Amino acid sequence: MDLFANALNGIPLWWFLVVSAALFCIGLYGVMARKNAIAMLMGVELMLNAVNINLIAFWRFIAPNSPSGLAFAAFVFVIAAAEAAIGLALIISVYRSNQSIDPEKLDQMKL
Amino acid sequence: MLFAEAVTTAPSYLTTLLWLIPLPPILAFALIALFFNRYRQTSSTIAVLSMIASTVMAYIVFFNVWQLKDLGKAPISSSIAWLPTGDTTLSIGVSVDPLSATFLFMVPLACTLIFIYSTGYMASDPLYSRFFAYLSLFAGSMLGLVVSNNLLTLFVFWELMGFCSYSLIGFFYRKPSAYKAAVKAFMTTRVGDMLLILGMVYLYAQTGTLNFFDIMHSEEVLELLGTTPAVGIFGTTLGLSAAALIGLLVFGGVVGKSAQWPLHVWLPDAMEGPTPVSAMIHAAAMVSAGIFLLLRFFPIIEVSGEHSATFTTIGLIGAFTAFMGATIAVAQYDIKRVMAFSTISQLGFMVAAVGIGAYVAAGFHLLTHAFFKALLFLASGSVIHGVEHGHHHVHAHGHGHGHAHGEPEAEAEHADAETHHEEFDPQDMRNMGGLRHKMPVTFWTFLIGGLALAGFPFITAGFWSKDEIFADAYHHGIEGGDPLGTLVFITLVVTATLTAFYTMRQIKLVFFGKARTEAAEHASESTPAMTFPLIVLAVFALFIGFINVPPDFPIFGSIVGSGAFYFKNLIGQYLIEKPEPLAFNIVPVLFSLGVALGGLALGWLVYSGRNLEAGVTDPVERLGGLFRFLNRRWMWDELYRAIFINPMQWLADNYTRIVDKGVIDAILEGGWKAGAAIAGAFAAFDRVVITGISDAIGRGFRVVGDWGRELQSGQVQNYLLSGLIMALAILVFFLFLFR
């Protein structure tokens, strides 16, 4: 724990933010650009995790004595899990009706 | 004298009757025109009954007043206020005075007889009801004119008569000559009426009243009119008194209505109407109205002075017209046209008599002339009817159509007027001859009328009235040394000779000798409805003259006894100064005897023996150029056509061409072109600006809509993209702009 903690000691906050932003952008790209609904769901997971990195990083550097940062991250995990479950269920259901999970072919929402 | 035992008061219901006298025929006109125009028998019955009702009322009035001693000074009169004109009120009303009493005796009687005659004469005309409607209005107007006590209502009825004569002259409106004659009569009389209106306005401006008795019976008013100098255009003085100018203007109306030269041209053409209408126009109504008005205005003319321009004009025009009419009558072949010019000539006698101040003689001749001229016209109509009948008879048999005699006339009459006249003119005296055996009643009555017209001595009315005029003219002219009187006397003597000559010519051509055509051969006497009025009128044509026999006339003066100069004493009351009876003078009597008998004898001699045979040229045609000149009626129509009608037509044509088509149409065309240009500009503005803007707005929405629709692709990644863009925008907003 210490080792791990120390290993991270010298790293400044903006590194975490850069990683988090990069992760968010990768997730966003995945959501926006992939032709597979499951990959989009995975992109969403990446973006949520990027948020989590941010939350933990800000907790550690700005308010280490308050539990709210960890609590937030825990909530995000839970929600991400729920969302993945619901999202996968939706994808299965879409697949059943459309025989495809390519989001470009799913345009019933405009009807 | 009849007036010796005269009553002095009249019953009070007379004024009511006076108001009612013109009403029945006018009412009959309305009834026939509105309700009974499809019922021939009913129409004529209504007309005749209405006329009889008027006659009865008129005679009640007449016999109540004819012996009133001071009727002239105090005419029975009733007025109502009619038009408020600023400070004053124009009153209209009715009255009976000696002059109108005379007419109340003559007019209804003559009208009734003409009505009865018309039931026979027009019996086969398809427009029978219309004829009686107009005839009733005509008679009603004349009665209204007679009982009017003011110039305004007189003028209204005067114009109504003008309208009726127009309608009746143009009665056979399918004949071009008929409607042309109607228009001619209306237009020609209108010229005179214009002057009459001017006279009326001037009179009203001078006196403030149009009531005859307020003017003619007031010495102050007459004196004022006689002494006020007349004001001409732009304030010039004309050298006339107001009375003289008013007299001249009123005389202008008389010239038109009574067919004096130069406005006489309408009367001969008025022959185009049915014959009863001619009788109406020539005797009972129309032309008598003119002389009646002239006599009404005699007091005003009188105060213009003895040798005033007014008297001179009236005398000269009258004498000239008398002479001209008689000369033309000599050279006519149409039986009615001879009568027409005879009327013009006889009216000239009356006007000339007024011109020399012979007021009573003019009125007397008017009265006698009305009877014998009505008689002559109705008798002419009977002749025409008989000859036409004979023509149909011949026609029906000659062509083997086998029509029952007289029956096909019902439809044929109107058509005849157009077609048969081409080949056969039943009014042409050359187609007659020998009718005295075929139509005895017509012959005898025509003879009586003709002799009265010629002035056959003693036993005809015409003699007495002409003699009266001669006596006055002789007294003024030869004895009094007045040049106008002398001229009038000489002209009238010559004219009377011509009158006797053409009358005898007509009688001989129509009734004597042998029938010159088959139609005349087969002519038959007219029905009693037509001969009865002839007989009644003949009685009057013989005896009406005895109402004004001079008391010192040999033999006859003592026969009539106290009735001598009854007429003079009656209508003389109208004047403030009663005309002095002239002492008996044998010279004018000899003249009138001589000219009447001489003219008749000449006519008898010329038209006898070979000259009456068929195919022989009329002796008057041997006058050559003079005959043609007279036959063409002195070329007045041609002259008027050249002087007035053609220039007017030229003016009208050119006006149409230059002003109407050239200027007005051009302006209008320019107007519509300008309008079209403005409208075009507005249309362009509308198209470009208004439509353009609205269209652009619509298109804009469309574009935006199309673009917005693109967003709604239904693809979740696109939605996400827009969500991202929005989020970035909000981020940018809050980070960089909202600080």
Side-chain angles (χ1 to χ4, degrees):
Chain A
M1 182 70 191
D2 281 346
L3 177 78
F4 184 67
N6 292 337
L8 291 175
N9 265 352
I11 301 169
L13 179 60
W14 62 274
W15 280 37
F16 294 99
L17 295 187
V18 168
V19 171
S20 159
L23 199 59
F24 187 86
C25 289
I26 291 165
L28 186 62
Y29 171 77
V31 171
M32 305 287 289
R34 293 308 297 256
K35 300 283 181 204
N36 188 316
I38 294 174
M40 285 172 67
L41 205 56
M42 290 162 71
V44 172
E45 294 300 323
L46 283 184
M47 286 161 77
L48 286 169
N49 282 328
V51 171
N52 270 349
I53 290 172
N54 261 13
L55 287 170
I56 298 297
F58 282 124
W59 166 73
R60 175 66 177 82
F61 281 93
I62 292 168
N65 299 323
S66 163
S68 54
L70 291 174
F72 253 119
F75 269 113
V76 171
F77 279 133
V78 174
I79 287 168
E83 181 247 315
I86 292 169
L88 284 170
L90 273 175
I91 288 166
I92 290 165
S93 159
V94 165
Y95 182 81
R96 277 189 186 149
S97 64
N98 284 23
Q99 309 302 321
S100 164
I101 50 169
D102 185 345
E104 288 203 342
K105 291 180 182 154
L106 301 177
D107 57 356
Q108 288 100 322
M109 276 174 77
K110 78 174 173 187
L111 298 177
Chain B
M1 278 220 283
L2 277 169
F3 292 98
E5 68 274 18
V7 276
T8 47
T9 51
S12 56
Y13 58 80
L14 284 190
T15 51
T16 318
L17 276 183
L18 275 176
W19 281 105
L20 291 178
I21 284 172
L23 212 59
I26 293 173
L27 213 60
F29 164 72
L31 280 177
I32 296 171
L34 293 176
F35 304 115
F36 296 109
N37 47 28
R38 287 170 193 283
Y39 309 99
R40 300 163 62 86
Q41 209 52 53
T42 320
S43 313
S44 65
T45 313
I46 290 174
V48 172
L49 286 180
S50 74
M51 203 55 235
I52 289 173
S54 279
T55 310
V56 168
M57 290 193 286
Y59 275 39
I60 291 172
V61 172
F62 177 77
F63 285 110
N64 266 303
V65 301
W66 75 305
Q67 285 183 323
L68 286 186
K69 223 172 179 171
D70 42 6
L71 183 65
K73 289 188 192 64
I76 296 161
S77 181
S78 155
S79 290
I80 54 164
W82 192 38
L83 276 180
T85 52
D87 301 336
T88 54
T89 306
L90 205 52
S91 297
I92 60 165
V94 292
S95 66
V96 56
D97 75 317
L99 195 56
S100 47
T102 320
F103 272 71
L104 282 183
F105 175 74
M106 183 273 284
V107 174
L109 179 65
C111 287
T112 309
L113 292 173
I114 291 170
F115 274 50
I116 294 172
Y117 178 90
S118 303
T119 59
Y121 188 84
M122 301 299 286
S124 52
D125 196 277
L127 297 174
Y128 191 72
S129 297
R130 174 202 294 234
F131 179 80
F132 275 99
Y134 281 139
L135 206 62
S136 301
L137 186 61
F138 205 153
S141 308
M142 183 63 192
L143 290 169
L145 182 140
V146 168
V147 297
S148 288
N149 75 348
N150 64 93
L151 188 53
L152 186 71
T153 43
L154 185 144
F155 185 71
V156 170
F157 287 117
W158 173 282
E159 290 296 319
L160 256 178
M161 270 205 288
F163 162 73
C164 292
S165 62
Y166 165 81
S167 312
L168 286 168
I169 292 169
F171 186 72
F172 297 123
Y173 55 86
R174 272 177 285 187
K175 262 165 74 185
S177 59
Y179 67 69
K180 278 183 188 148
V183 171
K184 189 176 180 182
F186 198 69
M187 298 300 287
T188 314
T189 49
R190 193 91 3 236
V191 176
D193 295 348
M194 196 60 230
L195 296 174
L196 178 54
I197 292 178
L198 290 179
M200 177 158 73
V201 171
Y202 194 29
L203 181 66
Y204 189 70
Q206 286 292 319
T207 63
T209 175
L210 288 176
N211 186 300
F212 294 130
F213 307 108
D214 290 352
I215 300 166
M216 315 294 177
H217 284 170
S218 153
E219 286 186 41
E220 303 93 78
V221 175
L222 287 177
E223 172 125 6
L224 176 81
L225 286 172
T227 49
T228 316
V231 178
I233 308 165
F234 307 124
T236 51
T237 52
L238 300 170
L240 291 172
S241 61
L245 186 59
I246 291 168
L248 274 178
L249 289 171
V250 169
F251 181 60
V254 175
V255 166
K257 210 68 162 179
S258 290
Q260 296 297 291
W261 179 87
L263 298 180
H264 67 279
V265 289
W266 66 270
L267 194 64
D269 288 24
M271 294 299 100
E272 291 294 342
T275 306
V277 175
S278 309
M280 199 83 170
I281 291 176
H282 287 257
M286 202 75 176
V287 296
S288 304
I291 306 292
F292 177 74
L293 183 67
L294 193 60
L295 294 177
R296 267 272 181 255
F297 272 76
F298 190 79
I300 286 186
I301 300 169
E302 205 175 19
V303 294
S304 71
E306 197 156 338
H307 297 288
S308 70
T310 313
F311 267 128
T312 315
T313 312
I314 295 175
L316 287 180
I317 287 187
F320 178 72
T321 310
F323 177 69
M324 183 195 71
T327 56
I328 297 175
V330 168
Q332 299 298 319
Y333 286 120
D334 187 316
I335 183 171
K336 279 169 79 182
R337 192 154 282 152
V338 174
M339 285 301 141
F341 281 102
S342 153
T343 304
I344 292 178
S345 172
Q346 296 300 308
L347 292 166
F349 266 77
M350 299 167 208
V351 171
V354 171
I356 55 170
Y359 161 81
V360 176
F364 187 32
H365 195 52
L366 177 59
L367 185 67
T368 59
H369 173 261
F371 282 111
F372 65 67
K373 194 45 73 66
L375 168 60
L376 279 172
F377 262 109
L378 297 186
S380 306
S382 174
V383 168
I384 296 166
H385 208 67
V387 173
E388 225 165 33
H389 219 253
H391 178 60
H392 284 305
H393 188 82
V394 174
H395 204 64
H397 288 270
H399 292 261
H401 290 320
H403 292 312
H405 181 65
E407 254 183 24
E409 283 179 347
E411 320 88 53
E413 187 101 342
H414 242 79
D416 261 354
E418 291 147 66
T419 55
H420 288 182
H421 280 203
E422 300 291 332
E423 53 209 44
F424 180 77
D425 183 0
Q427 305 194 6
D428 194 324
M429 294 192 292
R430 285 170 296 192
N431 291 334
M432 301 174 187
L435 290 177
R436 76 179 182 282
H437 300 303
K438 311 280 188 316
M439 312 177 75
V441 180
T442 307
F443 165 64
W444 282 107
T445 49
F446 195 103
L447 185 69
I448 290 168
L451 291 179
L453 172 62
F456 191 79
F458 310 130
I459 57 163
T460 62
F463 169 75
W464 298 105
S465 57
K466 265 190 200 170
D467 181 54
E468 184 83 20
I469 296 179
F470 282 147
D472 271 302
Y474 185 80
H475 175 75
H476 282 87
I478 312 284
E479 277 186 347
D482 176 22
L484 178 69
T486 314
L487 183 71
V488 166
F489 181 71
I490 294 168
T491 319
L492 293 192
V493 164
V494 175
T495 307
T497 317
L498 286 169
T499 308
F501 174 74
Y502 71 66
T503 310
M504 188 43 89
R505 170 178 180 259
Q506 186 168 31
I507 292 171
K508 291 286 278 189
L509 277 177
V510 174
F511 293 104
F512 285 84
K514 287 202 171 65
R516 285 186 291 277
T517 56
E518 277 193 80
E521 186 70 49
H522 291 92
S524 55
E525 184 60 281
S526 304
T527 54
M530 287 165 72
T531 50
F532 166 72
L534 296 181
I535 294 167
V536 177
L537 283 170
V539 171
F540 279 98
L542 285 177
F543 299 115
I544 194 75
F546 291 111
I547 62 168
N548 203 31
V549 176
D552 40 8
F553 200 94
I555 308 170
F556 288 96
S558 51
I559 291 177
V560 294
S562 68
F565 269 158
Y566 163 72
F567 184 75
K568 176 169 250 162
N569 290 324
L570 179 69
I571 76 162
Q573 295 174 33
Y574 179 58
L575 308 181
I576 292 176
E577 263 180 78
K578 266 176 74 171
E580 285 298 311
L582 302 176
F584 178 72
N585 190 330
I586 193 72
V587 182
V589 178
L590 287 179
F591 263 108
S592 61
L593 280 173
V595 297
L597 293 176
L600 287 170
L602 185 66
W604 180 275
L605 288 177
V606 171
Y607 290 91
S608 57
R610 223 181 77 79
N611 282 337
L612 279 183
E613 284 168 22
V616 175
T617 318
D618 193 296
V620 291
E621 280 197 37
R622 289 182 206 141
L623 295 171
L626 182 61
F627 168 78
R628 281 191 294 280
F629 178 65
L630 297 178
N631 187 253
R632 301 289 295 278
R633 319 175 202 171
W634 285 38
M635 317 287 277
W636 288 116
D637 282 323
E638 286 81 356
L639 187 72
Y640 287 171
R641 176 154 284 282
I643 295 181
F644 298 113
I645 300 175
N646 284 346
M648 201 47 95
Q649 208 134 35
W650 178 86
L651 205 65
D653 286 346
N654 281 297
Y655 182 88
T656 314
R657 199 164 52 78
I658 296 168
V659 179
D660 208 48
K661 292 215 173 96
V663 179
I664 297 181
D665 280 6
I667 291 173
L668 290 180
E669 212 164 295
W672 78 254
K673 276 182 179 157
I678 293 170
F682 274 113
F685 176 79
D686 197 57
R687 200 166 50 242
V688 174
V689 179
I690 298 187
T691 314
I693 288 177
S694 0
D695 281 3
I697 291 171
R699 235 183 347 261
F701 275 111
R702 174 127 197 172
V703 168
V704 172
D706 283 349
W707 180 67
R709 201 167 54 180
E710 292 293 306
L711 291 179
Q712 301 291 324
S713 62
Q715 290 181 356
V716 71
Q717 285 174 322
N718 287 352
Y719 294 167
L720 279 173
L721 183 63
S722 27
L724 177 68
I725 290 167
M726 210 58 214
L728 282 175
I730 291 168
L731 195 67
V732 168
F733 179 74
F734 278 108
L735 285 181
F736 299 105
L737 301 175
F738 196 63
R739 285 225 282 217

